[in-house]
């Protein structure tokens, strides 16, 4: 992959096609238009972080509606399955929680049988039945001349630019939930060109950088706070720890010790009392060993360990793991239950930066403190995952995450062999925050009834220092400030708050992407998804409906605001979705409009209180309005038909991405298509997002519809409407990807231990559905798969696992190239070049039957060149 030229010229191609489509240019002018630049030419770097996991064949987690004894649970399952004539087995779990009541069991069936699962779900005590997952984490060492991830402190000399020998980086290889340390760490450009120079100026102790000694000198050291570390274990005799309260093993290995070093490092950052100091040396450590030395874990291990943490009344829990599967319901539900029991969970946001839409679960949950990473020069670490959350797509818009950022590059912590070491990653940043939270908790134990997951997050957010020149999806509320957080927490009174606390669509760069495009009459509503944090109680609600109050002197009457919100706030949180649009009176107006939203949060009384707790919040709103742009400058992005993991196994569009096979970044103009979006904006286009079927938009408002990497099928009504829309002047650009059923069988997953196949739900794109959509114009894509480098006009291009055009009407322009038959290579293992592969087609539909004013159609067989997750550094 090294040495490949950046594929951004495809975005230039897109701009050029739009000029042809929307500017009335004759189709043959495409070649001259392709020579013209469109926007800046950034070169995002792709990280080598991948994910692997599997579902265990015919094993299911049966979740109950409450906690029951082992005998009761067995009785319920037996009653449900007794008349099915199916053999079944409850898998025994031998761990510290086995003697306590539980809310789940693992049932093994002889085969996958949907009818048996339905019978189980009909039992009144059964809440849900989900596949049992196996998690495999692989740490791989990689040599890199420019990046230092791990550094031993002590007998081994530091790896820097003056010494011979390689620097080693550890790359995570994991699709489910993984440790988010030990992954390749990158840095933003600083003008000093190498990360090794930066490392020489790193403070020896992260505790010193955050001024932990200020609280230590006041007598606060974490005493009395119960901290859980879910990781790879910890040696009882490690010299850095003086208050290891309990070690428990949840794996199938007979050891409590750390054979890898990750758990020891995390524990050291939180609670080491010597050499490399932790923040809370007197905290009570509860060590949960949930990964084996082979780096394997199971969902059930986490569920049992989480239940035990609730029994032990844990106060703070560090979870330096993460993955893209926010639909792993047993896991997500258990995290909610943990935080509902006042466990403050801190989790790493992920190491998949600098790409957007790469947040990991559970850090992306509203009730969890999601932590991103910075270096010691207060720059966002390149490895730190960026927002937005993708749970809400396609109909809504993602939430603000990470919540906060702190030091995660070249942080020093305990080595499991003794001494200290330096690591980078967001799971290094996570225990930094966990240590700070533990220290803060110990400073306010006299008002412990006020401390909960929401109030602690509120204090961290309110005290954070915003980093200049960095947007909110990179830094959240800003850099952790321990001293200011202590001051806020010391004076804290139960209240609700909002994240973000205001909406200003004019503030750049912090409010990117909102600030990157003004709003106007007739445009799709701009949706801002605000998180409500409720520090008054684990449950709450909105007392009445939120109300919009326009500032009339500031033209607030030009804004139309609609609001949807959580009917119940639980646990500790909910959402407030604000949809902003422009009224018709402002169709020709240019200026800034403002107002605010008022809402009141209510929670049940606590203790001796008789009246409900209430907190009234004000959400300021400020937007820039411009006259409605001409139709030729307005583009509509089809989000509705873009599908992604974890709703199914949707493979990457580039078959060469064998180590990261899942399409999970949202396929949104503000996530993995961010660079394309910026190219189009700099070219003067306005891009809106369609989160509904084609029947839900007025095509007369738009010059072109962009269909990029579509996986969903189309309703018959959508197909007929699109035909009418094109006849009436709408142009359409279709960027497809590979689709071949034989190749799909080749890229399925097989797990040797669980004997489980993972078959793709579609190819890179759903070519059969696209062909049905474009059939009225006698067009079609093939099921051949091609790849290779070529030049288009003066631009170097790369075709990455694309399809070809198999059918195109007369009167259009077809551009062909010589490419490698990648499908043949995948199936047969042989390389074969094919000449004159049709990859780009341009068709003016107004040539049909003398139509005037009809739209135009562009087909291109590959979307990878627009997708930031596939762009390669030259």
């Amino acid at each position: 992959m090294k040495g490949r030229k950046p594929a951004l010229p495809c975005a230039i191609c897109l701009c050029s096609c739009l000029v042809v489509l929307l500017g009335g240019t004759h189709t043959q002018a495409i070649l001259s238009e392709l020579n013209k630049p469109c926007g800046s030419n950034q070169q995002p770097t792709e990280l080598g972080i991948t994910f692997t996991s599997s579902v265990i064949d015919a094993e299911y987690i049966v979740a109950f509606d409450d906690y029951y004894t082992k005998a009761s649970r067995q009785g319920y399952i037996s009653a449900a399955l007794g008349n099915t004539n199916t053999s079944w087995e409850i898998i025994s779990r031998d761990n510290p929680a086995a003697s306590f009541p539980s809310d789940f069991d693992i049932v093994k069936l002889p085969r996958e049988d949907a009818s048996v699962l339905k019978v189980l779900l009909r039992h009144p005590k059964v809440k849900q039945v989900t596949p049992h997952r196996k998690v495999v984490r692989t740490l791989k060492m990689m040599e890199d001349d420019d990046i230092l991830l791990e550094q031993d402190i002590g007998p081994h000399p530091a790896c820097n630019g003056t010494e011979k020998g390689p620097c080693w980086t550890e790359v995570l290889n994991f699709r489910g939930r993984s440790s988010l340390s030990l992954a390749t760490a990158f840095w933003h450009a600083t003008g000093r060109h190498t990360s090794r120079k930066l490392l020489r100026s790193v403070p020896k102790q992260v505790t010193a950088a955050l001024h932990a000694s200020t609280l230590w000198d006041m007598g606060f050291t974490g005493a009395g706070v119960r901290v859980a570390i879910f990781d790879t274990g910890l040696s009882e005799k490690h010299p850095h720890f003086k208050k290891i309260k309990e070690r428990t093993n949840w794996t199938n290995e007979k050891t409590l010790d750390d054979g890898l070093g990750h758990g020891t490092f995390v524990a050291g950052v939180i609670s080491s009392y010597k050499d490399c100091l932790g923040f809370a040396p007197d905290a009570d450590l509860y060590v949960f060993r949930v990964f084996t030395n082979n780096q394997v874990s199971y969902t059930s291990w986490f569920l049992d360990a989480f239940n035990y943490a609730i029994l032990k009344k844990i106060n703070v829990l560090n979870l330096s793991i993460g993955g893209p599967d926010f639909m792993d319901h047993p896991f997500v539900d258990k995290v909610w239950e943990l935080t509902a029991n006042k466990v403050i969970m801190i989790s790493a946001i992920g190491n998949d930066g600098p790409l957007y839409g790469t947040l990991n679960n559970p850090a992306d949950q509203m009730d969890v403190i999601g932590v991103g990473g910075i270096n010691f020069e207060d720059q966002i670490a390149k490895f730190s995952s960026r927002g937005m959350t993708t749970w809400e797509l396609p109909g809504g818009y993602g939430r603000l995450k990470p919540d906060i950022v702190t030091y995660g590059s070249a942080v020093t912590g305990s080595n499991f062999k003794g001494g200290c070491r330096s690591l980078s990653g967001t799971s290094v940043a996570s225990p930094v925050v966990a240590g700070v939270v533990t220290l803060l908790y110990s400073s306010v134990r006299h008002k412990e009834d006020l401390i909960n997951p929401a109030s602690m997050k509120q204090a961290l957010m309110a005290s954070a220092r915003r980093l200049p020149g960095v947007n909110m999806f990179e830094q959240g509320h800003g850099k952790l400030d321990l001293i200011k957080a202590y001051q806020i927490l010391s004076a804290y009174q139960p209240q609700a708050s909002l994240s973000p606390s205001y909406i200003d669509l004019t503030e750049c760069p912090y409010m990117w992407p909102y600030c990157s495009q003004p709003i106007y009459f007739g445009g799709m509503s701009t949706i801002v998804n605000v998180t409500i944090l409720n520090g008054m109680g684990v449950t709450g609600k909105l007392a009445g409906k939120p109300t919009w109050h326009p500032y009339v002197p500031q033209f607030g009457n030009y804004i139309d605001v609609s609001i949807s919100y959580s009917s119940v706030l639980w646990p500790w949180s909910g959402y407030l979705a604000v949809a902003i649009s422009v009224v018709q009176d402002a169709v020709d107006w240019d200026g800034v409009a403002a107002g605010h939203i008022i809402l009141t949060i209510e929670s049940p009384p606590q203790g001796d209180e008789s009246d409900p707790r209430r907190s009234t919040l004000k959400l300021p709103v400020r937007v820039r309005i411009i006259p409605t742009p001409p139709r030729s400058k307005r583009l509509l992005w089809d989000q509705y038909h873009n599908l992604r993991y974890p709703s199914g196994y949707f493979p990457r569009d580039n078959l060469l991405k064998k180590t990261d096979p899942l399409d999970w970044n949202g396929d949104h103009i503000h996530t993995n298509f961010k660079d394309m979006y910026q190219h189009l904006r700099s070219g003067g286009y306005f891009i809106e997002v369609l989160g509904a079927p084609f029947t839900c938009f007025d095509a007369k408002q738009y010059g072109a519809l962009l269909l990029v990497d579509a996986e969903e099928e189309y309703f018959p009504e959508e197909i007929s409407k699109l035909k009418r829309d094109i006849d009436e002047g709408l142009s359409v650009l279709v960027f497809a990807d590979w689709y071949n059923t034989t190749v799909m069988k080749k890229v399925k997953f097989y797990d040797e231990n669980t004997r489980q196949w993972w078959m793709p739900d579609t190819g890179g794109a759903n070519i059969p559905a696209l062909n049905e959509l474009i059939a009225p114009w006698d067009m079609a894509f093939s099921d051949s798969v091609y790849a290779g480098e070529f030049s288009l006009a003066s631009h170097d291009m790369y075709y990455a696992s694309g399809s070809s055009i198999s059918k195109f009407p007369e009167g259009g322009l077809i551009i062909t190239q010589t490419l490698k038959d990648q499908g043949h290579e995948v199936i047969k293992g042989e390389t074969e070049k094919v000449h004159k592969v049709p990859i780009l087609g341009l068709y003016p539909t107004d040539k049909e039957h003398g139509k005037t004013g009809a739209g135009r159609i562009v087909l291109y067989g590959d979307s990878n060149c627009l997708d930031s997750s596939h762009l390669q550094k030259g």
Side-chain angles (χ1 to χ4, degrees), residues 490-794:
S490 297
Y492 182 82
Q493 294 297 321
Q495 59 189 273
S497 64
L498 303 174
S499 174
S501 58
Y502 65 92
I503 298 172
D504 187 349
L505 307 193
T506 71
E507 182 185 7
C508 271
Y510 182 71
M511 280 280 175
W512 187 94
Y514 296 110
C515 64
S516 64
Q517 180 171 293
I519 62 175
Y520 41 82
F521 172 70
M524 294 286 176
S525 295
T526 296
I527 301 173
V528 183
N529 199 339
V530 178
T531 297
I532 304 171
L533 291 173
N534 181 20
M536 300 182 294
V538 65
T539 186
K541 65 179 181 179
L542 269 71
K545 295 182 178 180
T547 55
W548 164 243
H549 301 269
Y551 300 158
V552 176
Q554 297 182 34
F555 306 98
N557 54 311
Y558 284 169
I559 308 173
D560 185 29
V561 174
S562 61
I563 304 167
S564 59
Y565 52 89
S566 302
S567 57
V568 176
L569 308 179
W570 184 90
W572 313 104
S573 57
Y575 71 87
L576 183 79
V578 181
I580 305 170
S581 57
V582 178
V583 301
Q584 188 170 3
D585 289 347
V587 63
D588 296 317
W589 187 72
D590 191 330
V592 174
H596 69 258
I597 297 168
I598 293 290
L599 63 153
T600 299
I601 309 301
E602 181 179 288
S603 280
Q606 304 289 320
D608 297 331
E609 299 170 351
S610 57
D611 297 325
R613 293 181 168 185
R614 285 187 168 230
S615 182
T616 298
L617 302 173
K618 176 181 175 181
L619 180 68
V621 176
R622 190 168 185 262
V623 303
R624 167 80 191 285
I625 298 174
I626 63 170
T628 302
R631 179 183 186 183
S632 62
K633 287 295 183 180
R634 292 179 61 183
L635 309 176
L636 190 61
W637 172 271
D638 175 23
Q639 187 68 39
Y640 183 77
H641 296 94
N642 287 344
L643 302 176
R644 82 281 184 215
Y645 180 85
S647 59
Y649 172 19
F650 297 101
R652 280 286 194 199
D653 308 320
N654 186 346
L655 288 172
L656 292 179
K657 304 296 294 181
K658 297 177 183 178
T659 55
D660 191 5
L662 294 173
D663 189 353
W664 64 283
N665 302 141
D667 285 349
H668 191 278
I669 59 172
H670 299 151
T671 59
N672 52 309
F673 288 97
K674 165 180 172 285
D675 294 283
M676 179 213 70
Y677 166 77
Q678 291 180 325
H679 273 282
L680 292 176
R681 283 294 298 128
S682 64
Y685 294 99
F686 296 84
I687 306 95
E688 302 170 35
V689 176
L690 177 66
F694 291 164
T695 51
C696 299
F697 78 96
D698 179 8
K700 293 184 176 65
Q701 301 292 321
Y702 302 96
L705 173 67
L706 306 182
L707 309 181
V708 182
D709 187 22
E711 292 95 358
E712 183 60 281
E713 297 182 352
Y714 301 89
F715 298 116
E717 295 83 0
E718 291 182 284
I719 297 174
S720 57
K721 179 179 182 294
L722 186 62
K723 178 68 167 66
R724 294 194 302 271
D725 290 342
I726 292 177
D727 288 345
E728 294 174 1
L730 179 71
S731 293
V732 175
L733 292 91
V734 182
F735 284 76
D737 279 298
W738 70 272
Y739 183 98
N740 181 285
T741 54
T742 305
V743 172
M744 287 166 62
K745 293 176 182 178
K746 286 284 186 179
V747 299
K748 63 184 177 181
F749 287 127
Y750 183 73
D751 183 79
E752 294 289 348
N753 296 311
T754 62
R755 302 176 305 282
Q756 173 71 29
W757 288 104
W758 281 58
M759 179 67 72
D761 292 325
T762 184
N766 191 337
I767 293 299
L770 285 173
N771 282 346
E772 187 177 3
L773 184 70
I774 60 179
W777 296 276
D778 200 29
M779 299 178 182
F781 290 102
S782 76
D783 65 353
S784 299
V785 185
Y786 296 100
E789 296 179 347
F790 62 93
S791 293
L792 186 58
S794 60

Side-chain angles (χ1 to χ4, degrees), residues 164-327:
K164 297 180 180 180
C167 296
W168 297 96
T169 63
E170 301 177 10
V171 173
L172 197 64
N173 195 359
F174 176 78
R175 188 197 59 81
R177 302 186 183 278
S178 70
S179 164
L180 292 173
S181 181
L182 311 177
T184 306
F186 293 80
W187 302 77
H188 273 305
T190 64
R192 277 175 268 189
H193 80 266
T194 70
S195 58
R196 292 190 187 129
K197 272 192 176 178
L198 295 177
L199 287 178
R200 295 184 190 131
S201 63
V202 171
K204 184 171 179 60
Q205 306 287 354
V206 68
T207 51
L210 290 171
H211 310 292
S213 61
T214 302
L215 268 67
W216 295 343
D217 292 342
M218 297 168 64
F220 305 124
T221 56
V225 182
R226 296 178 292 277
V227 186
I229 298 167
F230 277 59
D231 220 290
T232 57
L234 177 64
S235 171
E236 186 178 24
K237 298 179 180 179
H238 197 288
H240 287 182
F241 306 96
K242 56 182 177 180
K243 298 196 72 174
I244 300 176
K245 203 74 173 180
E246 183 180 21
R247 299 183 304 151
T248 51
N249 177 38
W250 304 87
T251 74
N252 54 15
E253 295 179 338
K254 304 300 181 182
T255 181
L256 294 163
D257 292 341
D258 182 4
L260 296 173
H262 188 261
T264 303
F265 182 90
V266 168
V269 172
I270 295 173
S271 197
S272 170
Y273 81 98
K274 60 188 296 188
D275 297 337
C276 30
L277 300 178
F279 289 89
D282 289 316
D284 295 332
L285 285 186
Y286 289 78
V287 179
F288 290 72
R289 188 175 189 270
V290 291
F291 276 101
T292 68
N293 286 333
N294 292 326
Q295 302 168 80
V296 172
S297 188
Y298 291 84
T299 297
S300 60
W301 294 355
F302 279 101
L303 300 184
D304 273 329
F306 285 154
N307 284 341
Y308 193 70
I310 295 172
L311 286 170
K312 288 294 180 177
K313 300 187 183 302
I314 294 298
N315 303 124
V316 180
L317 191 155
N318 183 78
L319 200 63
S320 290
I321 66 165
D325 193 357
F326 56 78
M327 295 180 71

Side-chain angles (χ1 to χ4, degrees), residues 79-100:
L81 299 180
N83 298 322
T84 60
N85 295 321
T86 299
S87 61
W88 53 272
E89 173 190 0
I90 297 177
I91 296 178
S92 176
R93 311 194 312 271
D94 182 16
N95 58 50
S99 59
F100 295 95

